[in-house]
DNA sequence: GCTTCATGTTTACAAACGTAGTCGCTATGA
DNA sequence: TCATAGCGACTACGTTTGTAAACATGAAGC
């Protein structure tokens, strides 16, 4: 077998994640456009966004498509996969891999709003059907 | 006002967290005892544990009580607080602060076992009573 | 008293991260 | 054609993290 694209899913840092969110929300975007969407809130300069984008390209989490002399950036990984990975990491690390334990913790800490509880109930009903 | 113990809750890294888990499970422990409990699984040397312990002491996440020549280390923060902080961070960052969205995600990804579902149902029933 | 063991302190050092400046190229308008 | 603005690439640099070795010092046995 010719090696193939054996890319281990390099970890995305917190700052990088903010850029990913922008791209997940809308893509493709140029570096400047990404900056328009995140620089204000994060207090970043365009240079910072450029650095993060190239690191994300290296990590193959973002794809850069040439458009003249610039690039159009798009996510190269689905948000759901990222979210799933992070969620599982947390559940594994802190709740022994048991989502129910996380849920119990949230309940105990009163972190669940009435609305949360209602929605979860509805979801459970759906699962059961 | 005299400044007081204005300690912002310094972030605990992943490696440090492993040490915390050992201490939460049983404390106080000496550095060697902590190593006995984690070095094998993590493939660490005693030196590594010593470094992590002192960093944790600096971060005020661990308290060191002198015992003759050596120290007995104990957690200086409750596990539940740590777990709660991490959980909320995740929910905020990835699920817009809505635990129900996290739950929906888990359900969609089929990350919930029959046992998880049953336990969550039971918890909900309890909450409702 | 001297060697040795245990233990905390200091120092090390590479990789990852956060944040950003500078360089070089090119399309573009004057 | 020449200055210019826009943009990616390269470089930079302090901090945090992971991992550990070297050092100092006191206790304990011989």
């Amino acid at each position: 077998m010719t090696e193939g694209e054996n890319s281990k899913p390099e970890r995305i840092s917190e700052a990088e994640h903010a850029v990913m969110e922008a791209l997940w929300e809308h893509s493709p975007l140029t570096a400047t456009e990404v900056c328009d969407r995140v620089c204000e809130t994060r207090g970043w300069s365009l240079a910072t966004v450029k650095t993060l984008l190239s690191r994300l390209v290296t990590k193959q989490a973002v794809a850069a498509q040439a458009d003249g002399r610039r690039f159009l950036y798009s996510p190269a990984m689905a948000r759901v996969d990222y979210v799933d990975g992070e969620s599982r990491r947390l559940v594994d690390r802190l709740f022994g891999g048991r989502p129910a334990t996380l849920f119990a913790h949230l309940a105990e800490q009163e972190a669940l709003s009435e609305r949360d509880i209602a929605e979860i109930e509805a979801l459970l009903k759906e699962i059961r059907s």
Side-chain angles (χ1 to χ4, degrees), chain A:
Chain A
M1 61 192 94
T2 36
E3 226 315 335
E5 56 335 269
N6 188 352
S7 48
K8 61 210 87 167
E10 286 236 45
R11 207 122 155 62
I12 291 173
S13 80
E14 169 124 7
E16 287 160 0
H17 170 241
V19 170
M20 290 304 292
E21 285 294 344
L23 291 175
W24 278 321
E25 205 183 305
H26 184 82
S27 75
L29 292 177
T30 66
T32 308
E33 287 167 341
V34 170
C35 187
D36 288 343
R37 289 161 181 257
V38 302
C39 283
E40 182 104 21
T41 26
R42 306 278 303 203
W44 285 343
S45 76
L46 174 60
T48 300
V49 170
K50 288 195 224 168
T51 301
L52 293 174
L53 277 171
S54 44
R55 286 182 185 167
L56 284 166
V57 168
T58 301
K59 293 184 182 182
Q60 299 191 289
V62 160
Q65 173 195 5
D67 170 52
R69 82 220 79 296
R70 64 190 188 168
F71 283 123
L72 297 179
Y73 298 95
S74 313
M77 88 183 286
R79 183 172 195 276
V80 70
D81 289 335
Y82 173 74
V83 166
D84 198 55
E86 293 296 302
S87 305
R88 282 178 204 268
R89 282 174 62 80
L90 185 89
V91 171
D92 287 346
R93 216 160 56 85
L94 302 184
F95 299 98
R98 303 287 324 288
T101 310
L102 161 58
F103 180 80
H105 170 85
L106 257 15
E108 227 159 82
Q109 294 311 112
E110 284 161 27
L112 300 178
S113 65
E114 178 53 41
R115 184 172 156 215
D116 283 315
I117 294 172
E119 280 182 31
I120 294 171
E121 267 174 346
L123 276 163
L124 276 178
K125 205 163 291 178
E126 202 174 307
I127 289 173
R128 284 303 186 204
S129 64

